[in-house]
Structures are given as C-alpha cells and as structure tokens.
Amino acid sequence: MDHAADAHRTDLMTITRFVLNEQSKHPDSKGDFSILLNNIVLGCKFVCSAVNKAGLAKLIGLAGDTNVQGEEQKKLDVLSNEVFVKALISSGRTCILVSEEDEEATFVSPPLRGKYCVVFDPLDGSSNIDCGVSIGTIFGIYLVNDLEATIDDALQPGKNMLAAGYCMYGSSCMLVLSTGNGVNGFTLDPSLGEFILTHPDIKIPKTGKIYSVNEGNAKNWDGPTAKYIENCKFPKDGSSPKSLRYVGSMVADVHRTLLYGGIFLYPADRKSPNGKLRVLYEVFPMSFLIEQAGGQAFTGKIRALDLVPKKIHERSPIFLGSYEDVEEIKELYAAAQNQI
C-alpha cells in the first residue's frame, strides 16, 4: 500500500475547503453562505448518483409506475427538483426558491427562513437523458435584505447575484462555481465522494474557433444573427471558418464555450420573439459565470446581467462567450439599429 500517495490525497482542495477559505477572507461572516453552498453541493451529488442509474432504471424496475414497496417512482427531473427544494429549505438559509419545475415561487416558512434567494433549473437538458448526453443543474444566489420576502426579491437584475454555478453530469461530474471572485471548476472523485478543485481560475479565451447555435431555426433569424453566422462560416478576412458544435443541452454547450472559447447563442426569432431560455435560472447564472471568466453576455439589446425580469419564468435571447466574438455580434446589432 502506497501510504505516501494516500497521504497526498488528503491534501486536496475540496470544494468545502475552498468555500471555507473564501469565507475566512470575510471576518464578519457567520458561515450562512457556506452552509447554503454545502447543501447545494449535496443536492448535486444526489442528482449525479440518480442520473448515473437512470439508464439501468428501466432494466431493474426502478423507473415507471410503482416499486415493490408500492412507492410511486418519479421522473428524474421531478426527483431532482424535490432533492434541491428539500436541500435548500433544510439549510435554514433560504427565504425564496424559484425553480424551472414549479410554476410559482416557493416561500420558506418562518422557522426555516434565511436571507438568500436561490433560482435554479434542477435538471437542464433532461430530454437528453435517454441518449446519454450531458445534462446539468444551474443555480444562482441572491441576497434578500428583508426576511419578509416578496416575489420582487427574486426579480432582481443578474448583476445583483452573489454567486452562480452549474453542475454537469456527463463522463465526469463537474461543478463550476463563481462567488464573484473568478470562476473555479471542481470534479467529483467518486472514490472520495468529494468535489476536488481541478480547474482553478478558469479564463475564457479572448476569441474562439467554435460557434454553437440551433441552425434548424435559421429561417426565422433576424438580420444581425443571420449575418454573424454567415461570417462564422464564410469569413471575409481570409481567416478559417469557425466550427459548429451544438449539443442542445445548455450546460454542456456553455461548459465547452467556457473552456475552449467561442460563442453560444440562442437568439430571438420569428417563432420565439422573446427568445427561448429563461432569464432567472439559465441566462443570468451562465452570463454571471462567463463575465467572471472574462467573457461577455448580451441579449441583442443590452448586457444580459442588466436585464430586470418582470416574471419569474421570463425568457430572453442570449449571446455569450469569448469577449471578441460577442463584441462582433454587438457591432452587428448596433449597425442594424442605426439603419432604422
């Protein structure tokens, strides 16, 4: 047995240790934020385990109607939602929860109420489960000043977020997190049951060679989007064309964009004039992470994090990724606006 190697494994930067290190930089901190993040991490581990079993579930009778105990078996996205709602409420640190799965916001009862609002998509891309494509959880955290919280406390602009992140369930389980001080990636070590810091201080390249969009919607795009994609494929400056990569699972597409650079776009079109992605728990957290990594996020009109949502399930167009790539599409929209 290699004792030296085992000893080295205990000197790893786990996500718990990382969060506590960040907490120590704020002497007046009571640890509430650390406890909340810890419960989010627990939810991610639980969902990761459930996702890994999903393929087998049909074979061994774990999915479908009822099991031998007479308990109703739940779809993975419904299960994931319940896991996160319970994990967040039991932390005792939340007052409002906004989930993609729930029509209304959840207001935590006074005995368990805390000062944070959490917005989340418990299982983004869940339609891809059956074909084994990467899916994930997306979340964002706001501070609420008044414990007598109202729905307006959830309808804050993205620039007010304290933290955001996503957990991707794929070939490995990876949690990417920003608490407003850069972006860090943690990979789940199944043998330890711990998220280990594997991607410290992620910086998105200034420009990239990949564009990511659903080209099936091309006939419905507006002028600037169509022109940008045309430039990606047939550059006028003699440079190489960009490569198209589109998974259709936002977590997977944004994760690749964050690491390799390039641009991810889900524009407004004639079919979806307000865009398709939800502002609070898809557009805001991903835009927060991209900006923290040195990129940009744009709605076609304004900086994405400056948006002020009016409804909890509001949608918006989004263009996010490498700084220079997003700058190019901003210029196209500005030019189109000047022609009006």
Side-chain angles (χ1 to χ4, degrees):
M1 191 172 176
D2 190 344
H3 292 293
D6 282 347
H8 176 68
R9 290 185 79 208
T10 61
D11 191 31
L12 298 166
M13 179 60 79
T14 65
I15 193 163
T16 308
R17 185 173 157 198
F18 179 86
V19 168
L20 289 173
N21 280 1
E22 289 296 302
Q23 183 189 316
S24 67
K25 296 174 186 174
H26 305 274
D28 53 343
S29 170
K30 295 175 184 169
D32 289 344
F33 189 63
S34 303
I35 290 167
L36 175 59
L37 282 174
N38 204 39
N39 280 47
I40 291 173
V41 168
L42 179 63
C44 291
K45 288 178 186 175
F46 191 101
V47 173
C48 179
S49 173
V51 167
N52 288 341
K53 292 174 190 161
L56 286 171
K58 289 177 185 160
L59 295 177
I60 57 178
L62 293 178
D65 320 305
T66 33
N67 64 13
V68 285
Q69 284 84 25
E71 296 165 337
E72 191 175 349
Q73 295 303 288
K74 296 183 172 66
K75 287 271 185 196
L76 206 47
D77 46 3
V78 177
L79 173 72
S80 304
N81 188 48
E82 288 190 6
V83 164
F84 277 100
V85 168
K86 285 176 180 170
L88 292 165
I89 291 175
S90 67
S91 72
R93 302 300 185 276
T94 57
C95 54
I96 316 174
L97 309 178
V98 175
S99 168
E100 191 265 347
E101 291 288 326
D102 296 327
E103 205 171 317
E104 303 291 333
T106 300
F107 289 88
V108 180
S109 59
L112 287 169
R113 195 170 288 172
K115 60 183 179 181
Y116 296 106
C117 165
V118 182
V119 293
F120 62 100
D121 186 343
L123 206 59
D124 184 73
S126 53
S127 59
N128 285 316
I129 292 167
D130 287 346
C131 60
V133 167
S134 296
I135 52 182
T137 299
I138 309 171
F139 62 90
I141 303 171
Y142 290 106
L143 181 65
V144 177
N145 293 317
D146 187 355
L147 290 186
E148 296 303 317
T150 67
I151 197 65
D152 290 338
D153 291 300
L155 298 173
Q156 300 186 52
K159 63 186 177 186
N160 290 0
M161 273 187 174
L162 288 185
Y166 61 81
C167 189
M168 185 176 71
Y169 315 110
S171 53
S172 60
C173 178
M174 188 164 176
L175 195 150
V176 175
L177 174 70
S178 174
T179 56
N181 188 26
V183 181
N184 292 278
F186 304 82
T187 305
L188 184 64
D189 181 338
S191 64
L192 295 175
E194 288 281 6
F195 280 102
I196 309 298
L197 180 63
T198 51
H199 294 66
D201 197 21
I202 298 170
K203 295 291 182 204
I204 188 169
K206 283 286 178 201
T207 185
K209 297 175 181 173
I210 295 170
Y211 73 101
S212 184
V213 66
N214 182 354
E215 289 223 43
N217 294 329
K219 70 173 185 176
N220 295 317
W221 287 341
D222 62 16
T225 296
K227 193 169 183 182
Y228 180 78
I229 299 303
E230 182 77 5
N231 292 345
C232 287
K233 295 195 250 191
F234 306 102
K236 306 282 193 297
D237 59 3
S239 60
S240 299
K242 291 185 188 292
S243 299
L244 170 66
R245 298 284 183 273
Y246 185 70
V247 177
S249 173
M250 190 190 190
V251 171
D253 282 316
V254 172
H255 185 67
R256 182 199 56 249
T257 305
L258 188 63
L259 295 184
Y260 297 167
I263 189 168
F264 168 83
L265 48 155
Y266 210 117
D269 57 34
R270 286 196 288 273
K271 198 170 65 175
S272 307
N274 296 319
K276 188 105 181 279
L277 298 176
R278 272 64 58 102
V279 172
L280 273 180
Y281 41 80
E282 290 176 327
V283 170
F284 279 171
M286 293 309 201
S287 300
F288 186 91
L289 289 165
I290 290 288
E291 282 201 6
Q292 284 290 320
Q296 288 196 81
F298 176 62
T299 67
K301 292 178 180 172
I302 60 170
R303 174 190 176 213
L305 293 180
D306 287 340
L307 263 179
V308 182
K310 294 180 175 62
K311 301 194 298 283
I312 61 172
H313 298 298
E314 193 170 308
R315 298 172 190 264
S316 170
I318 186 66
F319 306 84
L320 56 79
S322 294
Y323 193 93
E324 289 175 18
D325 293 344
V326 176
E327 195 63 28
E328 192 179 328
I329 201 152
K330 282 169 77 175
E331 287 167 8
L332 289 171
Y333 270 96
Q337 192 64 33
N338 291 337
Q339 289 171 7
I340 295 173

